[in-house]
Amino acid sequence: MEMGRCLLSSQLTPLLFSQIPSISLSLAHCRSISCKKYQPQKKKRLLLLHGFGIYTPFFNSSTPSSSSSCTKAVLSPEIPNQKKNYSKVAAESTGPIPFNQLLPVVETAATTGAQVVMEAVNKPRTITYKGLTDLVTETDKMSEAAILEVVKKNFSDHLILGEEGGLIGDSSSDYLWCIDPLDGTTNFAHCYPSFGVSVGVLFRGKPAAAAVVEFVGGPMCWNTRIFSAVSGGGAFCNGQKIHASLTDKVEQSLLVTGFGYEHDDAWATNIDLFKEFTDVSRGVRRLGAAAVDMCHVALGIVEAYWEYRLKPWDMAAGVLIVEEAGGVVSCMDGEIFCVFDRSVLVSNGVLHAQLLERIGPATEKLKKKGIDFSLWFKPENYRTEL
C-alpha cells in the first residue's frame, strides 16, 4: 500500500508505515542554551560539521520499498540558516548514549504506540473524562503501555513522564522520556484526522531525540507519516529532510494555535490573539494536537504555532523537530524556552520577532495579572542544565 492512497473499504487494514530509506545527515552543531531572556547571541558560534547515517527498520518490514513513496514531505532547498543567532533549546548531544542507539528506540516506541492507535481507529471508543471536556480513551492507556514496554526493555534505568501514567523510573537518570500516547484525543474520538503519538527524550532537561507519528487521511483512508529528529541531526519526515518555510511576511503566512480546557484569562487572551492574527494573516487554524501542529511548522506548510498551558509531553518532541528543521522556539513572552515552561511559540524563525510584537505584550499583561508562568514541573532530583 502506498501512503496517501485511499483505502476503498470500511474494513480496517493492517497498519502500514512507509518504508524509510537510509538517512544521510550532514548538519551543523550550533549551541547556546540557557533559560535567560530571549535575545540574539552576540558571540560568533563555532560550527562543527558531522556526517552520519541512520536507518531504523519499521514494522511490517515485508512491505516492499517503492520509489513512489506515499505522502511526500515538503522539501525546501538548502539555504544558509539565518536564524542561528537565536538561542537553542536542544541538548548539545544525546549524552553517553550514541544518537544511533537512542533515536531508533524513540522511533520504535512511537510507531509501537501508533500501531495500537491504528488498530482502534475504526472501532467504537470507550471514553472517560479527566475534566468537563478533557477526554481519555482506553486507546490512550493501551498506547502508553505499549510505549513504556519498549522504553523499559531498552533503557530500564531511565526516567519516564507519561500523560496517563505520570512519573515513573529513576529520578537520578540524566534521561527523561516525555510521552504523549495519543496527542489529540478528542480528534481521535471523533475520527477527525489531526492526532498522533509523540515521544521525546530529554538529556539533562533538554530535548535530545524525538519522534511524532501523525495520522493522516480519515475514515476509510487512514495512514501515517513519521517525523523524527536528533540533536544536531536535522529533521525528517518519512526519511526525507525537511525545512521550515521561508515566508517573511505575516500577511502571507498561515498560522496555528491551540486552546486549553480552562476558559480563564490565558484562554481569553489567546482568543484575542486569534482574532488579531486572523485579521493580518492568511488565516489561523486550531487543529487540536500540539505535537502535530509543531511538525507542520517543521514541514513548512504553516509558519508558526503558539499555545498557553501545555505540558512537557505535548512539547518535548515537537520543539526539537521544529528547531532541527531550521525553526525557532521561545516562550510566548519572548524568553528562552525549556520543556517545563507553560507557553510556547514556534515559528519558521524569519517571522519570530514579528509574531512576538503582538504575542509578547499580551503575555506580559497576563503576568501582571498574576497568571503563573513559572516552570510547570521538574521531577525532584532530576538533573538538568537549565
Side-chain angles (χ1 to χ4, degrees):
M1 180 183 72
E2 292 184 3
M3 230 177 150
R5 181 179 296 175
C6 182
L7 310 181
L8 301 178
S9 168
S10 59
Q11 193 165 0
L12 181 64
T13 61
L15 173 63
L16 295 177
F17 291 102
S18 64
Q19 199 81 1
I20 300 277
S22 297
I23 303 170
S24 179
L25 308 181
S26 180
L27 296 210
H29 274 273
C30 289
R31 310 272 196 265
S32 181
I33 308 171
S34 62
C35 261
K36 298 178 182 178
K37 189 69 179 177
Y38 172 89
Q39 59 185 356
Q41 301 299 301
K42 295 181 180 179
K43 294 183 178 180
K44 185 176 180 181
R45 297 191 176 197
L46 179 64
L47 204 61
L48 303 178
L49 298 179
H50 295 264
F52 43 80
I54 300 176
Y55 175 70
T56 303
F58 273 40
F59 299 96
N60 291 325
S61 58
S62 59
T63 305
S65 62
S66 170
S67 58
S68 59
S69 84
C70 35
T71 308
K72 295 288 186 181
V74 175
L75 301 178
S76 296
E78 292 296 331
I79 58 166
N81 192 327
Q82 301 172 18
K83 300 167 285 296
K84 292 293 187 182
N85 58 340
Y86 291 114
S87 294
K88 295 286 188 177
V89 302
E92 293 192 3
S93 72
T94 58
I97 302 175
F99 74 90
N100 56 1
Q101 291 182 23
L102 183 61
L103 185 58
V105 178
V106 176
E107 291 179 325
T108 298
T111 52
T112 299
Q115 279 190 313
V116 173
V117 176
M118 184 63 88
E119 289 168 3
V121 75
N122 285 335
K123 297 178 182 178
R125 278 82 162 128
T126 301
I127 298 172
T128 55
Y129 292 84
K130 294 186 280 186
L132 183 63
T133 57
D134 190 2
L135 310 182
V136 61
T137 68
E138 285 301 312
T139 305
D140 292 74
K141 299 173 183 177
M142 292 170 62
S143 173
E144 184 162 312
I147 293 169
L148 290 178
E149 186 176 347
V150 172
V151 177
K152 290 177 179 179
K153 179 180 178 180
N154 289 275
F155 302 112
S156 59
D157 58 338
H158 285 190
L159 188 61
I160 304 170
L161 179 63
E163 180 176 14
E164 307 307 330
L167 191 67
I168 59 174
D170 185 359
S171 62
S172 66
S173 173
D174 285 333
Y175 294 90
L176 173 62
W177 292 67
C178 298
I179 296 168
D180 193 338
L182 182 44
D183 179 38
T185 300
T186 299
N187 291 338
F188 167 79
H190 288 266
C191 282
Y192 184 83
S194 184
F195 55 88
V197 175
S198 176
V199 178
V201 184
L202 311 183
F203 175 66
R204 295 183 179 173
K206 298 176 181 179
V212 174
V213 178
E214 178 190 8
F215 282 72
V216 298
M220 295 177 285
C221 62
W222 288 111
N223 217 310
T224 62
R225 59 185 174 192
I226 183 168
F227 297 84
S228 61
V230 67
S231 177
F236 294 82
C237 178
N238 289 349
Q240 298 186 61
K241 191 174 182 181
I242 57 176
H243 200 285
S245 82
L246 305 180
T247 301
D248 61 358
K249 294 180 176 61
V250 173
E251 58 267 28
Q252 295 177 359
S253 67
L254 183 62
L255 309 173
V256 184
T257 189
F259 298 91
Y261 296 104
E262 295 182 27
H263 292 193
D264 55 5
D265 285 343
W267 184 91
T269 294
N270 204 27
I271 286 287
D272 290 338
L273 288 170
F274 186 99
K275 293 176 182 176
E276 285 187 45
F277 281 109
T278 298
D279 287 340
V280 298
S281 70
R282 287 182 175 171
V284 182
R285 305 290 182 254
R286 196 272 190 170
L287 302 177
V292 171
D293 292 340
M294 285 187 264
C295 287
H296 289 178
V297 175
L299 193 58
I301 58 177
V302 299
E303 276 64 53
Y305 162 80
W306 69 88
E307 187 167 351
Y308 295 112
R309 303 292 173 73
L310 293 176
K311 301 296 191 297
W313 51 77
D314 297 310
M315 304 184 287
V319 294
L320 180 62
I321 293 169
V322 169
E323 189 168 272
E324 290 298 331
V328 168
V329 183
S330 77
C331 293
M332 288 175 64
D333 59 0
E335 292 191 0
I336 292 173
F337 172 87
C338 66
V339 169
F340 305 108
D341 272 308
R342 296 177 189 249
S343 73
V344 68
L345 166 63
V346 303
S347 78
N348 65 357
V350 184
L351 289 175
H352 210 81
Q354 295 178 57
L355 297 169
L356 279 173
E357 287 176 3
R358 294 172 183 266
I359 295 174
T363 305
E364 291 295 342
K365 287 181 181 178
L366 286 174
K367 293 166 74 174
K368 290 178 181 178
K369 286 183 177 181
I371 302 298
D372 188 5
F373 280 93
S374 62
L375 296 185
W376 174 74
F377 171 76
K378 184 180 79 67
E380 188 176 358
N381 299 324
Y382 175 60
R383 291 175 291 183
T384 73
E385 296 177 349
L386 304 176

